[in-house]
Amino acid sequence: MSFIIDYYNYWIVVFLMMTGFYIVISANNLVKKIVGLNIFQTSVFMLYITMGKVSGGTAPIVAEGVTLYSNPLPHVLILTAIVVGVATTAVGLSLIVRIKRAYGTVEENEFQNEDDAI
Amino acid sequence: MFEQHLAALPIIIPLIAAPIALILGRSLLTWGFATLISAWACYASWHLLLAALSEGSLSYAMGGWPPPWGIEMRVDAANAFVLLAVTAVSTLVLVYSKNSIEKEIDSAQHPLFYTAHLLCLAGLSGILVTGDAFNLFVFLEISSLATYTLVSLARDRRCLTAAFRYLVMGTIGATFILIGVGMLYMKTGTLNMLDLAERIHLADGNRTINTGLAFIMVGVSIKLALFPLHAWLPPAYTHAPSAVTAFLASTATKVAVYVMIRFIFTIFGADYVFREMGMDLILMVLAIVAIFKCSYMATAQSNVKTVLAYSSVAQIGYMVLGVSLVSVTGLMAGLIHIFNHALMKGALFMAVGAVFYRVGSVDIKAFRGLGKQMPLTMAAFTIAGLSIIGVPLTVGFVSKWYLVTAALEQQHWILAFLVLAGSLLAVIYIGRVLEAAYFQSASDDASAAEVKEAPWLMLIPMWSLVIANIYFGIETSITTEAASSASEWLFQNSKVLEVSP
Amino acid sequence: MNLWQGFEPGQLIALSILVPFIGALLVVATGKTPNLRETVTLSTAVILFTIVLAITDLVFQGVALNLQVIELFPGLGISFDVEPLGVLFALVASFLWIITSIYAIGYMRGHHEVNQTRFFCCFALAISSVMAICFSGNLLTLFIFYEVLTLSTYPLVTHAGTDAAKKGGRIYLGILLSTSIAFLLLAVLGTWSLTGTLDFRPGGIFAETEHKGVLAVLLVLFCYGIGKAAIMPFHRWLPAAMVAPTPVSALLHAVAVVKAGVFSILKVVIYIFGLDELRNLETTDIMLYIGAATILISSCIAMTKDNLKARLAYSTVSQLSYIVVGALLASSIAAAGAALHIATHAAGKITLFFCAGAIMVASHKKNISDMAGLGRQMPLTMAAFAIGAISIIGLPPMAGTWSKWHLAMGALDADKLLIVATLIISSLLNIAYLLPIPFKAFFHRSNEAQEAWSWSQTKEAPLPCLIAIGVTSLGCIVMFFYPEPLIALINLIPDVSTIGNSDG
């Protein structure tokens, strides 16, 4: 039991990751694929953020009487990764807009049959 | 100034130039600007290679923060060699692109093309030069995002779905790398590659590190389109504008192969990855399957760009095969093939792009009779095609020679035979195009009769690559020395870890 | 030779390769004026022959000729080194190039072929690569120019541009390229990784190699990798290549290309394996009997062919295996016979092909069954055909006698009675499929021609063709009565002797 509770943050990460991955693979709608991709990426953000936590540590701001800080580096890293994720989402969504204009649909199965799209 | 910041220049120059290219706005002006910028980056990387060869390796602290706290740029023979190839091809492709994109990209989007191209170049240079594992991910995403945009610029609407598929798979791949790097950080508390290497070695077979290795290898394999994770590559290369395909085919996947080599040899250590985790067998099997399956797929396509795209996946198989042999010669063969394949695929896709420019189609039927109508373009295609096959006196032969030598060194006779037999499939898929061009007459309609030779601005970069194909096929000492010193360097640094406590 | 005295010996090698190459360029340059173009071809051929004669002279004087061009890999590059076997082949090829050029002029014009400039250009390129093969100093050089030869002859095979020609070309290129890449290159690389050298050395380079099993495999790889030697089952390209114009079939597929194949095998056997090493390999006998089987089977196939060129093609397949068998017998007499057979078979077979082409130009007949009574129209051609046929069969007073004699002696020398029997049966088969052709032509009357024969009835091929046919058929006879220079040359080859070694 402690195997689950002690590592609860990792279980959340794994659950989110699999959810996102499953949506990317199974969703027919391109927007949903992007949503899935976001969930997938978010799980990794969680992974990074939770690993920076030092038990008993506070926010990494120098203050009197505090000796134990959480590790700020993963948070900083993940800030970058979030930016990358947002950019990816933006590119993906703009592609979807253009696909909608060109094909008239964002459902994968519909344009697959129209011409040899993918 | 130039000397001092040399290691950062190939990244910084195109990165700063990219938004300027967008502001310049006018097509011709932007073209000249982007080409000059790329040429400058190429010049800088030439100096970097010289410096790396004479000094072993260069370290540059980005922003003045010394490693391991700051981000380190680290240049050695291996990445300087690939960097030079990437920046040189980029420059040639930019020269080529002026005419090519006229036909394939809406004129309003021309500045966007140059911007995205420069961003992609900055990202690729960054991947090559950086000495920081997380930074590598960031640069990977910069180049990938630029690539998705580049692919989607074509007029053909199918490029959109191809770009979307590329985006989904590419993001999954990059995220896998991110997870893997996170795992490594969890265990080691550092992101600097050299630090990582030392501490991974001390951790000695920890489960977190094993998992990290698995995530990173899968992620990189998606990026480099290793069979069976290559599904994004053929549609993306087929439907992207020709200039983009020429650039990507000869750089992006090569850089990903470099990333794989870097992770295996510098960070994890060849001993750990191959002997303890048994990756060599996995990679070897996948590479062999890639060579045969994808060469076979290439023989069955009617779109010549798709033919070449599948051929690229097969050729990546050769590079990975070289790595999987776990020997100095094998790694050297892989590195040489990274460089050589950039030369041949660049020339081939440029020739195909020139055909599209004049004929408006790249179906194999469109090639009929082109041997007479576009003699120079088809001659370039022929020589580069012979190079893919591995005919002597071309670079392809040099690659094959070292790869087979490496296989025979370890008494892998079957493997040597398979490598050579794989090139027979190349004879078929290149031969089909050549037969159409030289032995079938053009269709009768009037439009076909007016097909002329491609413009000079397309022929010059194309033939530069073709001549490089022959030059480096005869004067092999330059590539061989660079690749062998890179390979030895990588192995030594892998082995140092083996003996150190 | 006085003509080339001003040149260094090494430069002569370069010249022998460059002269036909420059000739090819000049042919393209002068393509607009056919007469000038043909003059270029002829004079190039003559110049080349004088160069080869000069090289021959130097070899007899014992001067070592070699030339390093470039280093492709550390310790390995393109290099040339003249040795007697190569000189023999170069002599044959360059002399017959002159004759074939004369013949080709008559044939191509008489037949109104198109794209003649491309034809003569590729022809010269092919000769250039043959010269490079002759004088190659290591296996890598041999391999490279072997491939160049394949590629440069491909446009010649598909010259007609018809569907049949393309199909033939595809088989030609397919078999030759795939065997050479999959087997020959592997064998070359295997040799390189075993010994660290690819140089041709007297006595072979495998003396210190322990892995005899690997060597046995290498021998098979070499034999099949050199697809131009047309050992069954990789012989299909040779009949397929017969769609080419007859001068191509004549020079390239009776002399240059196929002889480049068997020459390579001889060279590998003598200078890479060494005859002594060869004797101890397990696969030598297997390949030997496959060669013997090729001799018999393709002779049988030849009998079933009615198309004259196809019959000659299968005859060539069979005759090539004589040379392979001679090489693999691993006896010095047999190797001498094999070397001699390169020259004698070339003269005989080229005569036959010339005749086939002449018949096609003059009477447009391709099938043997239509040739009854043709001797009345083309007496000279048919007489030459008879001479060539007798030489191939190996009866005196024709040149083929000598090579078959030495081959048979070599087989006896090596105690391979089965091979002796093969040679005898094969000669009988040769008689059965070659001699009926001139016999029918002279002694069967076609229905319409009933009146007495006179010269006015003749309808011979163009004069250049006749001259060429005359020279080569004369060559068959001269080589019988005056074989000493050839034999002297062959005896210069290390380990090879027409009188046999004491230990052989």
Side-chain angles (χ1 to χ4, degrees):
Chain A
M1 199 60 197
S2 70
F3 180 62
I4 293 178
I5 291 174
D6 286 356
Y7 297 102
Y8 74 95
N9 57 330
Y10 295 125
W11 289 109
I12 292 171
V13 168
V14 169
F15 176 74
L16 279 179
M17 189 186 289
M18 288 303 119
T19 312
F21 208 24
Y22 177 75
I23 295 173
V24 173
I25 293 169
S26 68
N28 205 10
N29 185 303
L30 297 186
V31 180
K32 286 183 185 163
K33 271 188 194 290
I34 293 291
V35 171
L37 210 54
N38 266 304
I39 297 174
F40 180 62
Q41 287 180 309
T42 308
S43 75
V44 185
F45 304 160
M46 300 283 282
L47 174 76
Y48 268 77
I49 291 167
T50 53
M51 79 173 140
K53 173 72 182 167
V54 176
S55 44
T58 65
I61 302 165
V62 180
E64 272 184 44
V66 183
T67 50
L68 198 60
Y69 300 111
S70 284
N71 186 351
L73 185 68
H75 298 193
V76 179
L77 294 179
I78 227 56
L79 216 52
T80 320
I82 289 172
V83 174
V84 169
V86 170
T88 311
T89 311
V91 174
L93 289 176
S94 61
L95 275 177
I96 291 173
V97 171
R98 287 186 58 199
I99 287 174
K100 171 77 178 170
R101 270 192 217 138
Y103 288 87
T105 178
V106 291
E107 300 291 328
E108 202 178 12
N109 57 355
E110 284 175 26
F111 57 64
Q112 236 173 2
N113 305 334
E114 202 174 306
D115 54 17
D116 52 336
I118 287 183
Chain B
M1 177 70 184
F2 181 77
E3 289 293 321
Q4 196 186 347
H5 298 290
L6 197 56
L9 282 184
I11 313 168
I12 300 294
I13 298 170
L15 196 62
I16 294 174
I20 301 177
L22 193 61
I23 296 166
L24 283 176
R26 297 238 316 280
S27 188
L28 192 65
L29 191 65
T30 329
W31 169 71
F33 175 72
T35 311
L36 281 180
I37 288 295
S38 180
W40 189 14
C42 181
Y43 176 72
S45 29
W46 169 245
H47 276 269
L48 267 179
L49 179 63
L50 292 183
L53 283 180
S54 63
E55 288 170 40
S57 70
L58 300 174
S59 173
Y60 173 84
M62 197 56 127
W65 299 91
W69 296 283
I71 293 169
E72 186 192 14
M73 300 286 137
R74 215 177 163 77
V75 183
D76 53 52
N79 55 13
F81 182 53
V82 184
L83 184 67
L84 181 65
V86 167
T87 48
V89 169
S90 157
T91 313
L92 288 174
V93 167
L94 279 172
V95 173
Y96 170 88
S97 65
K98 182 184 168 292
N99 289 105
S100 178
I101 64 172
E102 267 170 26
K103 179 96 177 176
E104 297 181 47
I105 300 177
D106 287 328
S107 59
Q109 285 170 326
H110 285 181
L112 270 177
F113 165 81
Y114 295 114
T115 309
H117 183 104
L118 287 176
L119 275 177
C120 188
L121 178 63
L124 294 175
S125 308
I127 298 172
L128 292 170
V129 175
T130 187
D132 183 286
F134 187 82
N135 198 230
L136 187 140
F137 160 78
V138 175
F139 279 122
L140 195 65
E141 280 304 76
I142 291 179
S143 72
S144 299
L145 285 168
T147 309
Y148 310 143
T149 321
L150 283 170
V151 171
S152 72
L153 282 176
R155 287 205 172 109
D156 184 351
R157 65 175 181 174
R158 281 174 293 181
C159 75
L160 296 172
T161 46
F164 190 81
R165 172 187 267 216
Y166 187 9
L167 178 131
V168 170
M169 287 194 71
T171 306
I172 291 173
T175 312
F176 268 43
I177 296 175
L178 187 63
I179 298 171
V181 172
M183 302 260 177
L184 298 188
Y185 180 72
M186 255 190 241
K187 206 64 213 166
T188 61
T190 180
L191 289 168
N192 183 292
M193 288 185 184
L194 296 180
D195 267 8
L196 268 175
E198 263 170 45
R199 297 191 197 177
I200 284 174
H201 189 69
L202 294 178
D204 198 25
N206 183 286
R207 259 203 300 195
T208 313
I209 288 176
N210 291 354
T211 320
L213 173 73
F215 269 110
I216 288 175
M217 289 305 272
V218 174
V220 175
S221 297
I222 292 179
K223 284 286 182 191
L224 62 79
L226 178 62
F227 179 90
L229 302 171
H230 67 286
W232 59 268
L233 189 143
Y237 281 16
T238 307
H239 301 302
S242 306
V244 173
T245 311
F247 181 56
L248 293 185
S250 41
T251 57
T253 42
K254 312 294 168 297
V255 170
V257 175
Y258 161 82
V259 171
M260 177 182 256
I261 292 174
R262 181 59 79 189
F263 268 109
I264 290 178
F265 288 93
T266 306
I267 298 184
F268 287 103
D271 209 39
Y272 165 69
V273 176
F274 293 130
R275 203 170 302 163
E276 287 178 34
M277 303 297 287
M279 275 292 184
D280 50 346
L281 192 64
I282 300 174
L283 290 180
M284 191 182 289
V285 171
L286 290 182
I288 288 287
V289 178
I291 290 170
F292 279 91
K293 172 84 192 330
C294 294
S295 297
Y296 171 73
M297 291 296 286
T299 61
Q301 305 298 321
S302 66
N303 184 320
V304 177
K305 265 170 122 178
T306 321
V307 170
L308 296 180
Y310 274 109
S311 152
S312 281
V313 182
Q315 300 291 322
I316 287 161
Y318 286 112
M319 295 167 211
V320 174
L321 186 64
V323 174
S324 75
L325 284 170
V326 204
S327 68
V328 174
T329 323
L331 182 58
M332 179 180 147
L335 283 170
I336 289 181
H337 200 49
I338 289 180
F339 181 78
N340 290 349
H341 183 246
L343 297 181
M344 35 188 158
K345 257 314 148 42
L348 282 174
F349 273 117
M350 281 184 184
V352 173
V355 170
F356 188 84
Y357 184 76
R358 285 300 187 203
V359 186
S361 164
V362 289
D363 198 88
I364 199 157
K365 289 196 187 89
F367 278 71
R368 284 182 185 163
L370 284 186
K372 284 219 171 72
Q373 290 167 326
M374 304 176 71
L376 286 173
T377 308
M378 287 320 295
F381 189 96
T382 309
I383 296 173
L386 291 177
S387 192
I388 287 269
I389 295 170
V391 171
L393 304 185
T394 61
V395 286
F397 183 66
V398 182
S399 305
K400 293 261 159 68
W401 180 273
Y402 280 109
L403 194 54
V404 175
T405 311
L408 289 178
E409 258 177 17
Q410 305 176 3
Q411 310 297 325
H412 285 310
W413 282 81
I414 308 270
L415 202 62
F417 176 75
L418 288 176
V419 168
L420 294 173
S423 42
L424 295 181
L425 287 167
V427 174
I428 299 175
Y429 62 72
I430 295 294
R432 279 172 71 225
V433 181
L434 294 184
E435 199 177 85
Y438 287 105
F439 291 105
Q440 291 175 4
S441 48
S443 51
D444 297 326
D445 54 326
S447 64
E450 288 165 14
V451 172
K452 283 182 299 192
E453 186 52 80
W456 284 108
L457 270 181
M458 295 177 112
L459 287 175
I460 291 169
M462 191 194 304
W463 273 93
S464 313
L465 286 177
V466 168
I467 290 167
N469 261 300
I470 297 171
Y471 178 79
F472 289 112
I474 294 171
E475 175 57 54
T476 57
S477 60
I478 304 170
T479 42
T480 319
E481 270 167 34
S484 76
S485 72
S487 161
E488 273 164 27
W489 190 88
L490 283 168
F491 256 95
Q492 269 168 13
N493 284 38
S494 258
K495 285 210 174 113
V496 166
L497 299 172
E498 210 173 306
V499 287
S500 73
Chain C
M1 290 284 140
N2 295 336
L3 204 54
W4 301 100
Q5 244 167 11
F7 288 90
E8 292 283 311
Q11 286 174 329
L12 280 181
I13 304 176
L15 273 179
S16 70
I17 297 158
L18 285 178
V19 162
F21 183 75
I22 294 166
L25 299 181
L26 285 177
V27 163
V28 175
T30 57
K32 292 266 157 46
T33 45
N35 286 336
L36 190 59
R37 180 186 66 200
E38 263 73 301
T39 317
V40 167
T41 304
L42 272 180
S43 43
T44 314
V46 171
I47 293 171
L48 177 66
F49 186 58
T50 59
I51 296 172
V52 176
L53 278 181
I55 292 176
T56 317
D57 202 35
L58 289 173
V59 168
F60 273 117
Q61 288 169 21
V63 181
L65 287 84
N66 48 51
L67 179 70
Q68 307 286 329
V69 185
I70 37 170
E71 197 167 69
L72 282 183
F73 305 106
L76 179 62
I78 295 185
S79 71
F80 299 98
D81 195 1
V82 174
E83 45 75 46
L85 183 62
V87 171
L88 174 76
F89 182 31
L91 271 177
V92 172
S94 61
F95 177 68
L96 290 177
W97 187 33
I98 305 178
I99 311 300
T100 313
S101 301
I102 300 172
Y103 179 84
I105 294 164
Y107 179 88
M108 296 302 273
R109 293 187 176 183
H111 217 239
H112 305 292
E113 294 272 355
V114 291
N115 285 336
Q116 292 192 18
T117 305
R118 184 177 75 187
F119 173 86
F120 284 109
C121 168
C122 287
F123 219 122
L125 283 181
I127 294 294
S128 174
S129 44
V130 166
M131 288 300 132
I133 290 175
C134 290
F135 298 135
S136 54
N138 59 33
L139 264 178
L140 182 68
T141 317
L142 183 82
F143 174 76
I144 289 172
F145 288 99
Y146 181 94
E147 297 288 24
V148 175
L149 182 61
T150 309
L151 293 177
S152 64
T153 48
Y154 174 68
L156 293 173
V157 173
T158 56
H159 185 83
T162 57
D163 281 339
K166 270 181 236 159
K167 186 160 170 273
R170 215 177 285 154
I171 296 174
Y172 178 79
L173 203 60
I175 292 184
L176 288 186
L177 265 189
S178 47
T179 51
S180 66
I181 291 178
F183 303 138
L184 180 57
L185 185 55
L186 183 62
V188 170
L189 278 156
T191 310
W192 171 247
S193 78
L194 280 180
T195 61
T197 178
L198 289 178
D199 291 345
F200 292 121
R201 283 188 203 147
I205 57 174
F206 285 131
E208 287 158 22
T209 309
E210 293 299 314
H211 311 284
K212 297 300 174 199
V214 177
L215 288 191
V217 175
L218 275 183
L219 180 71
V220 177
L221 285 177
F222 271 119
C223 284
Y224 279 128
I226 302 172
K228 291 192 170 102
I231 305 172
M232 281 185 175
F234 295 108
H235 66 290
R236 280 282 302 129
W237 65 270
L238 184 55
M242 288 304 148
V243 295
T246 308
V248 176
S249 309
L251 182 64
L252 300 183
H253 303 128
V255 184
V257 173
V258 291
K259 292 293 152 47
V262 285
F263 167 77
S264 306
I265 286 191
L266 263 179
K267 198 135 179 178
V268 165
V269 161
I270 296 175
Y271 293 101
I272 295 291
F273 284 95
L275 293 178
D276 294 331
E277 189 68 54
L278 192 69
R279 225 166 280 143
N280 304 326
L281 292 183
E282 290 130 15
T283 46
T284 310
D285 276 357
I286 299 173
M287 291 314 296
L288 182 67
Y289 290 119
I290 290 176
T294 308
I295 294 179
L296 294 180
I297 295 171
S298 53
S299 294
C300 293
I301 297 174
M303 274 197 276
T304 66
K305 297 288 173 187
D306 190 34
N307 182 310
L308 181 55
K309 276 176 80 177
R311 186 175 286 195
L312 293 180
Y314 275 102
S315 162
T316 307
V317 174
S318 136
Q319 298 288 320
L320 290 176
S321 282
Y322 274 71
I323 301 171
V324 175
V325 164
L328 292 175
L329 276 170
S331 111
S332 65
I333 305 183
L340 203 54
H341 204 58
I342 288 183
T344 57
H345 173 249
K349 196 42 78 54
I350 204 168
T351 311
L352 296 185
F353 271 112
F354 281 169
C355 294
I359 293 168
M360 216 188 291
V361 170
S363 67
H364 305 287
K365 284 176 178 158
K366 288 182 177 174
N367 290 338
I368 294 162
S369 49
D370 300 335
M371 290 177 191
L374 199 63
R376 299 171 70 86
Q377 282 176 31
M378 310 180 71
L380 296 178
T381 308
M382 275 307 176
F385 193 98
I387 293 174
I390 293 170
S391 181
I392 297 286
I393 295 162
L395 293 177
M398 304 301 163
T401 319
W402 292 123
S403 50
K404 290 222 174 163
W405 170 262
H406 284 110
L407 282 172
M409 290 303 287
L412 282 174
D413 188 37
D415 284 336
K416 298 277 196 292
L417 291 179
L418 214 52
I419 300 297
V420 181
T422 308
L423 293 176
I424 294 168
I425 296 170
S426 159
S427 293
L428 294 175
L429 287 171
N430 287 347
I431 295 175
Y433 68 76
L434 282 177
L435 273 191
I437 302 167
F439 190 78
K440 274 186 190 167
F442 280 120
F443 301 115
H444 282 226
R445 292 192 171 189
S446 53
N447 298 330
E448 69 266 27
Q450 295 301 327
E451 70 270 32
W453 183 81
S454 74
W455 278 103
S456 57
Q457 285 174 2
T458 57
K459 219 180 97 193
E460 276 286 3
L463 186 65
C465 294
L466 284 183
I467 294 173
I469 293 173
V471 172
T472 54
S473 48
L474 212 61
C476 290
I477 302 172
V478 169
M479 271 199 280
F480 175 79
F481 290 106
Y482 191 57
E484 282 81 9
L486 283 181
I487 287 177
L489 192 59
I490 287 167
N491 281 330
L492 288 179
I493 305 171
D495 294 344
V496 173
S497 156
T498 45
I499 45 172
N501 287 353
S502 50
D503 62 319

